[in-house]
Amino acid sequence: MLLSIRSLTKVFPGTLALDGVDLDIAAGEIHALLGENGAGKSTLIKCLTGAYQRDGGAITLDGAPIDPKSTGQAQELGIGTVYQEVNLLPNLPVAQNLMFGREPRRFGLIDSRRTRAEAEAMLRQYGLGIDVGRDLGTYSVAIQQIVAIARAVSLSGKVLILDEPTASLDRREVEMVFDVVRDLRDRGLGIIFVSHFLDQVFELTDRVTILRNGRKIVTERTANLDRMSLIEHMLGRALEHEVTGTATDGEIKAPMLQFDGIGRAGVIQPFDLTVGQGEVVGLAGLLGSGRTETAEMLFGLRQSQDGQARDADGPLDLRNPRAAIGAGFGFAPEDRKTDGIVASLSIRENIILGLQARRGWSRPIPRAEQNRLADDYIRKLDIRTSDREKPIGELSGGNQQKAVLARWLAMNPRFLILDEPTRGIDVGAHAEILRLIEDLTAQGMSVLIISSEIDELVAVADRVIVLRDRRHVAELTGAEVTGDRIMRAIAADDEAAA
Amino acid sequence: MTLLTRIAPQLIALAALIALVSLFFPGFLAVDVSGGRLVGPVIDVLKRGAPVALLAVGMTLVIATRGIDLSVGAIMAICGAAAALSISSGLGLVPALLVALAAGAVAGLWNGVLVAVVGIQPFVATLILMTMGRGVAQLITEGRILTFSDPGFAWLGSGVLLGLPVPTWIWILTAAAVGLAVRRTALGLLIESVGVNRRASALAGVNATLLLIAVYVLSGLCAALAGIVETADIRGADANNAGLWLELDAILAVVIGGNSLMGGRFSIVASILGALIIQTIGTGILLAGFPSEYNLVIKAALVLIILVLQSPRIAAEWNLWRESHRVQPRERRRT
Ligand SMILES: Nc1ncnc2c1ncn2[C@@H]1O[C@H](COP(=O)(O)OP(=O)(O)OP(=O)(O)O)[C@@H](O)[C@H]1O
Ligand SMILES: [Mg+2]
């Protein structure tokens, strides 16, 4: 075995995050690490990479026991990691990002010509012939992700860990990254792949290990498992109804909000949008097609140059998020780390924050009421935590996402904008959240949902608007809302866009 | 976390310090009554610590928003000068005080707008007023030391009320008022939230801009009070020396109070204890009779020891050590 983990244990105050986990990674295999939100996947990885110190157990690499004290040390030992959020420097050239810290030197100075040449040679191994002199940020997220992989592999070269690396990629980009990963497997690396996308697990991986509540449930060859049994192992129960692409009835909802000519040069071309009461409008499109910008414009986070928003009672003021909230809007942003969570405050405080801001500083929500609200949503959204006073930053990624969602649900807006609401959320909670959206819309709330998962749009949306190159290019209603139609519209198939 | 566990480190540090000072100066804790007033080294600490304690109240909130206010010493000088000028030009006590407070509020507003609206980093934004403020104070006093003889004003600096020095009452009441205002309302939560993640807070509908401005205005008001107390105490406004370097003591008080410079959770009580620790060190060194050239070095050494003992790293090691010396029940997590 390349990497062996035996009875790995990690304790946080009030939480046994890892409870005697065994895991073996062979050279030349891609090994999926699966589990619900809060199962302990990220914790296991952080123990491997030295970001956390384990409380018990042994790790051997190539037969020798290791005990990395920092990510740097783990890299030297041969364990490299790529996280979901690319953690390179977008404002620096690709070459510098790749070679940072070990640039070839001449007379003590960085030899930039050789740095570039070596960077280019490195990326060519990955079939990437890009200009390494350009800033990393000017390339697509997929390319950035591959650069991150290249950097991790060149630094370490034995074990490569990918923690939800495809969460913000579209299908073609996922393929690109997968080709790179398969190639690395064939070169003899041991690869750990963490993801909530089960399709990708079946497509890419050789073996699967499933964690639940910090314990290892099973390790199995991927080919021997089917989707149902995988989910059952993860959740410890069968999933009542998984989200599938059922077309909605397409009944016309009474219009509630009307946006006319909202847009801004260079950001998003002016568009009109009508949202019906209780309607779910989906926004589909590639990364950078203007979906998030559309949402930000509707929520007053970016100013529209022109145009107007109105409801039945007249024009609406959407100057800034506060004004939009006043008009009954809500917006759960895409990037929960920078825009969502207030990390060192408790789960309770994070959930009531929006409600409190709306009530004003002089009318604090009574503590008993805060507790009730927090407990209510912790239960409803199944947020895995030891208690409501835990700092939200200590929750697992998916559970943080749920808590941010809870903040907006607690405010009970009439129009809720959700930007990738289920990113990083496990299959069980995913179904739960989509069901919640259905309940809320049945009670009259309108929802605008942005998602890269087309199945998700098909499942919840009454209407899907497709964006391309910062323009609203197609609108699909009722029976037209199928995965196929959406994909074709996204891919600039004129027939579908017409 | 209860208040007591939160401020335990500061209480322990203060107690240890008092014990240490008492070794060199056995009468440190002795309090006498003479002529209806309490006298003794401890009372002296409570009185002379007033400016830093007042500054620490405002500074705590500024730091909770992940900011810093370097200008409070200069604002003290401005407000002291403004009060002294008003009094000596016959304006009357109350109007003079209002002028000084208004000056503090305007100075805070200036800082707040630079930080929250213009978007300058707090360190740089308040550095501007730190540099400029003393110049403004000198313009007000026209370069002289403005003295006055208004008994009412002087009472604010050296008077006695119910046995305690008036400056002591001023900081106690200010700290209590601000403490209640932030904890009995939602202000405390909103300030912490803006300090930890301004963008996310603003997205959730928190009026971060207004809140930031308000916090700097409050810091300016606290500095105005500190300036009034100091000016009243020496019966004169000295634009060059009033509040000199006190911004650093105020920041130190907040840090000794265990408040993170990265913003978020804060405790005004803990900062006040920090201010008292600093003053106890100062008074203790004098009383213990060390030559004055040792003062700064001893103060720095003591502060360093306190901060090292409080550092999260040491605390973590200490917890680890404690855990390893006790049989730990295996906890099961809730699922
Ligand atoms: N720094 C921390 N302090 C306290 N508890 C933590 C910390 N990090 C993780 N935990 C807890 O450990 C458990 C496992 O979390 P982990 O992040 O490993 O989950 P995960 O499997 O990666 O979930 P997700 O799919 O949501 O990313 C959770 O209950 C979490 O609250
Ligand atoms: Mg995780």
Side-chain angles (χ1 to χ4, degrees):
Chain A
M1 272 304 141
L2 174 63
L3 179 75
S4 284
I5 298 171
R6 286 291 167 271
S7 16
L8 184 64
T9 300
K10 176 74 191 171
V11 187
F12 293 114
T15 308
L16 187 53
L18 290 175
D19 187 2
V21 172
D22 295 343
L23 179 66
D24 287 305
I25 308 291
E29 83 162 330
I30 304 177
H31 197 120
L33 185 60
L34 304 181
E36 290 176 288
N37 295 129
K41 305 178 295 294
S42 297
T43 304
L44 185 145
I45 282 166
K46 286 179 183 163
C47 288
L48 265 182
T49 59
Y52 289 159
Q53 301 308 308
R54 60 180 184 261
D55 295 314
I59 305 176
T60 53
L61 182 66
D62 277 338
I66 59 166
D67 189 12
K69 295 282 183 225
S70 68
T71 46
Q73 243 182 51
Q75 273 171 2
E76 278 165 32
L77 289 165
I79 302 175
T81 315
V82 175
Y83 297 98
Q84 174 181 335
E85 306 88 17
V86 179
N87 52 351
L88 298 178
L89 306 168
N91 306 327
L92 287 184
V94 173
Q96 245 164 297
N97 267 296
L98 268 176
M99 309 294 290
F100 184 77
R102 58 211 163 93
E103 297 93 342
R105 285 170 187 272
R106 232 174 122 206
F107 313 122
L109 297 176
I110 291 176
D111 181 346
S112 51
R113 215 167 41 90
R114 260 181 60 210
T115 303
R116 289 186 56 155
E118 283 185 26
E120 264 165 22
M122 209 151 105
L123 288 182
R124 238 181 334 234
Q125 295 175 22
Y126 296 87
L128 220 54
I130 59 171
D131 177 4
V132 297
R134 263 172 63 189
D135 287 354
L136 181 70
T138 60
Y139 289 105
S140 75
V141 183
I143 289 184
Q144 296 187 30
Q145 200 65 272
I146 291 174
V147 171
I149 291 176
R151 179 177 163 85
V153 169
S154 69
L155 281 173
S156 331
K158 286 184 188 166
V159 176
L160 176 64
I161 301 172
L162 304 167
D163 194 355
E164 302 193 37
T166 55
S168 44
L169 303 184
D170 66 58
R171 289 190 187 198
R172 258 178 306 181
E173 294 178 319
V174 167
E175 266 320 305
M176 216 167 125
V177 172
F178 279 8
D179 284 342
V180 166
V181 173
R182 288 195 191 99
D183 185 52
L184 288 171
R185 166 184 60 193
D186 298 342
R187 283 199 246 156
L189 261 75
I191 296 165
I192 302 178
F193 178 75
V194 180
S195 177
H196 289 293
F197 297 113
L198 301 187
D199 295 343
Q200 297 182 358
V201 170
F202 284 109
E203 190 186 332
L204 183 70
T205 66
D206 304 306
R207 288 200 299 162
V208 180
T209 291
I210 293 169
L211 300 180
R212 189 164 75 226
N213 288 341
R215 298 232 188 109
K216 189 187 93 167
I217 300 301
V218 71
T219 297
E220 186 57 80
R221 298 201 62 77
T222 313
N224 296 346
L225 286 167
D226 60 19
R227 198 180 165 88
M228 285 287 283
S229 52
L230 202 70
I231 292 175
E232 271 188 51
H233 283 311
M234 280 171 66
L235 306 186
R237 61 183 161 85
L239 190 62
E240 290 109 56
H241 66 86
E242 204 190 344
V243 187
T244 45
T246 52
T248 34
D249 44 16
E251 74 181 273
I252 308 292
K253 308 268 167 67
M256 182 179 77
L257 298 168
Q258 179 125 19
F259 302 93
D260 293 318
I262 304 278
R264 184 174 196 92
V267 178
I268 183 94
Q269 219 182 56
F271 61 89
D272 300 340
L273 176 67
T274 310
V275 180
Q277 171 138 32
E279 188 182 30
V280 182
V281 180
L283 287 190
L286 299 178
L287 215 78
S289 61
R291 295 172 306 175
T292 295
E293 288 78 359
T294 299
E296 289 179 348
M297 212 141 251
L298 297 181
F299 194 61
L301 199 57
R302 288 171 188 265
Q303 293 312 305
S304 172
Q305 255 165 341
D306 222 351
Q308 201 188 38
R310 52 166 54 252
D311 63 6
D313 299 330
L316 295 173
D317 168 18
L318 302 178
R319 243 175 318 127
N320 53 36
R322 279 171 54 73
I325 289 170
F329 288 24
F331 174 46
E334 174 180 23
D335 187 341
R336 62 167 170 260
K337 262 224 172 66
T338 62
D339 303 345
I341 64 167
V342 182
S344 53
L345 297 192
S346 69
I347 299 167
R348 168 181 57 82
E349 289 166 313
N350 268 279
I351 290 179
I352 61 115
L353 182 64
L355 213 51
Q356 182 63 68
R358 192 171 64 189
R359 275 171 72 116
W361 60 270
S362 60
R363 291 173 54 224
I365 301 172
R367 185 57 180 266
E369 172 73 6
Q370 297 188 16
N371 292 349
R372 195 190 58 70
L373 271 167
D375 286 342
D376 207 31
Y377 281 101
I378 287 174
R379 191 166 31 75
K380 250 194 211 153
L381 296 181
D382 193 17
I383 298 172
R384 301 294 169 90
T385 176
S386 42
D387 67 304
R388 60 171 175 263
E389 298 305 322
K390 189 166 176 158
I392 196 173
E394 291 178 5
L395 288 183
S396 80
N399 284 304
Q400 293 180 6
Q401 177 77 359
K402 294 187 214 165
V404 173
L405 213 54
R407 177 190 298 162
W408 289 105
L409 296 178
M411 294 179 73
N412 193 22
R414 61 173 166 158
F415 179 47
L416 182 57
I417 305 168
L418 300 169
D419 196 350
E420 301 282 6
T422 58
R423 174 176 294 173
I425 279 186
D426 68 51
V427 260
H430 190 248
E432 215 50 59
I433 286 174
L434 294 194
R435 190 156 42 220
L436 201 69
I437 291 176
E438 274 171 12
D439 286 354
L440 291 169
T441 50
Q443 293 161 28
M445 184 189 289
S446 306
V447 173
L448 183 84
I449 180 170
I450 298 176
S451 178
S452 305
E453 282 177 73
I454 289 170
D455 292 344
E456 183 171 299
L457 290 179
V458 173
V460 295
D462 300 306
R463 185 151 57 96
V464 171
I465 294 168
V466 179
L467 283 82
R468 201 190 315 135
D469 298 331
R470 307 188 169 272
R471 277 192 312 136
H472 292 206
V473 293
E475 182 164 330
L476 306 167
T477 321
E480 296 171 348
V481 180
T482 64
D484 197 43
R485 294 289 292 264
I486 298 176
M487 293 243 275
R488 278 194 294 162
I490 289 176
D493 186 326
D494 289 318
E495 189 191 351
Chain B
M1 185 158 37
T2 63
L3 179 63
L4 201 63
T5 49
R6 167 66 179 81
I7 63 174
Q10 286 74 33
L11 286 176
I12 292 170
L14 190 56
L17 200 62
I18 289 174
L20 184 68
V21 172
S22 300
L23 279 183
F24 290 92
F25 186 83
F28 186 74
L29 280 175
V31 176
D32 292 328
V33 186
S34 101
R37 60 162 58 192
L38 301 171
V39 288
V42 176
I43 304 301
D44 196 50
V45 167
L46 292 179
K47 179 193 168 202
R48 288 161 52 83
V52 174
L54 283 166
L55 295 181
V57 172
M59 191 69 77
T60 305
L61 297 190
V62 169
I63 285 180
T65 64
R66 201 193 275 226
I68 195 117
D69 190 347
L70 296 179
S71 67
V72 287
I75 298 179
M76 278 178 70
I78 295 177
C79 297
L85 183 68
S86 308
I87 283 283
S88 53
S89 54
L91 207 54
L93 180 58
V94 174
L97 293 180
L98 289 179
V99 167
L101 287 173
V106 170
L109 186 66
W110 162 270
N111 284 331
V113 168
L114 286 187
V115 170
V117 180
V118 185
I120 303 179
Q121 289 202 2
F123 189 96
V124 179
T126 58
L127 192 60
I128 297 172
L129 191 56
M130 180 187 181
T131 322
M132 186 177 75
R134 228 160 260 290
V136 172
Q138 281 164 356
L139 288 177
I140 295 175
T141 61
E142 292 169 336
R144 297 168 295 135
I145 294 185
L146 260 183
T147 56
F148 55 86
S149 57
D150 181 288
F153 194 18
W155 181 78
L156 291 175
S158 46
V160 174
L161 185 67
L162 302 177
L164 282 179
V166 175
T168 309
W169 285 112
I170 293 180
W171 72 251
I172 290 177
L173 291 177
T174 305
V178 175
L180 284 180
V182 294
R183 291 305 174 196
R184 285 289 157 86
T185 67
L187 276 177
L189 169 67
L190 298 180
I191 288 172
E192 288 172 346
S193 140
V194 168
V196 176
N197 192 340
R198 179 177 173 184
R199 210 181 130 80
S201 306
L203 266 176
V206 179
N207 196 339
T209 309
L210 193 65
L211 214 54
L212 280 173
I213 293 178
V215 159
Y216 283 92
V217 168
L218 182 84
S219 180
L221 284 172
C222 288
L225 283 175
I228 289 169
V229 167
E230 190 174 286
T231 307
D233 193 24
I234 62 171
R235 293 164 200 249
D238 178 353
N240 289 319
N241 295 309
L244 194 61
W245 305 126
L246 284 199
E247 58 277 349
L248 299 183
D249 275 354
I251 294 167
L252 205 55
V254 175
V255 172
I256 292 177
N259 296 296
S260 164
L261 289 175
M262 299 307 288
R265 296 266 184 247
F266 68 88
S267 163
I268 291 178
V269 180
S271 296
I272 291 282
L273 286 173
L276 293 181
I277 287 172
I278 292 175
Q279 187 59 45
T280 304
I281 293 175
T283 304
I285 291 171
L286 282 180
L287 291 177
F290 285 103
S292 59
E293 54 270 31
Y294 283 94
N295 285 5
L296 291 178
V297 177
I298 297 176
K299 179 175 163 184
L302 286 173
V303 167
L304 182 69
I305 292 172
I306 294 172
L307 290 181
V308 166
L309 288 178
Q310 276 184 19
S311 85
R313 206 166 178 152
I314 302 268
E317 301 271 319
W318 162 244
N319 278 338
L320 264 184
W321 183 86
R322 241 180 21 184
E323 305 259 310
S324 65
H325 282 250
R326 147 178 112 198
V327 188
Q328 198 187 344
R330 296 256 292 182
E331 293 162 296
R332 258 325 306 177
R333 50 177 295 200
R334 211 201 84 178
T335 53

